[in-house]
Amino acid sequence: MRQNSRQRSGTTFFDDLGLYRILRPGNDLRELEGFVREWLGQLIDYDARHDTELVETLSRYFDCGGNYDDAAAALTVHRSTLRDRLRRIREISDRDLADADTRLDLQVATRVWKIILGGRR
């Protein structure tokens, strides 16, 4: 988990994992895969068909707290490119990124996709 997180080195104790404690590999992987497919399936499929990185873009955007400048810098793209990608994400997924509950589910799905599933499915 640490290798796929923002801070790739150091030590993290189990009690400090927060949400990741319930996402540990011992839990039902099929349930996690289903959750990821429900929330990110259209984007994952689009990325596979068009050789794009919309799921990674969304993940980085959430990692940066929704800050356009920080997310654009993390993705090494221009701010307008990020804005265009987020617009495309909204269109393809038909998800409202302004809705707090939707954002939470999408953010959890991107974390599961990256950390538990290794960026696949």
Side-chain angles (χ1 to χ4, degrees):
M1 289 177 77
R2 188 70 166 183
Q3 291 175 349
N4 290 318
S5 69
R6 289 177 74 192
Q7 295 178 335
R8 298 176 196 276
S9 61
T11 302
T12 302
F13 296 97
F14 182 78
D15 289 342
D16 297 329
L17 289 176
L19 175 65
Y20 295 118
R21 290 185 357 218
I22 64 170
L23 301 178
R24 69 185 193 282
N27 288 340
D28 187 357
L29 189 58
R30 287 174 295 162
E31 186 67 33
L32 294 174
E33 289 171 342
F35 180 80
V36 168
R37 288 298 309 168
E38 176 185 346
W39 286 96
L40 300 176
Q42 292 173 310
L43 296 173
I44 291 168
D45 294 344
Y46 184 92
D47 281 348
R49 282 192 313 272
H50 299 281
D51 196 31
T52 56
E53 295 184 347
L54 296 181
V55 179
E56 180 62 26
T57 297
L58 188 60
S59 178
R60 291 292 180 125
Y61 174 71
F62 288 138
D63 286 348
C64 293
N67 182 293
Y68 271 56
D69 292 328
D70 292 347
L75 292 162
T76 62
V77 299
H78 192 272
R79 184 181 160 97
S80 63
T81 301
L82 174 63
R83 186 177 55 245
D84 290 341
R85 286 183 187 178
L86 290 172
R87 177 188 47 76
R88 207 167 352 145
I89 287 167
R90 285 189 294 274
E91 291 170 356
I92 293 166
S93 68
D94 197 30
R95 304 282 187 187
D96 180 5
L97 299 180
D99 178 72
D101 290 331
T102 299
R103 286 174 66 99
L104 175 61
D105 286 332
L106 283 169
Q107 186 169 9
V108 170
T110 61
R111 292 288 176 100
V112 171
W113 172 80
K114 183 188 287 183
I115 304 296
I116 304 299
L117 303 179
R120 56 182 166 69
R121 300 274 189 257

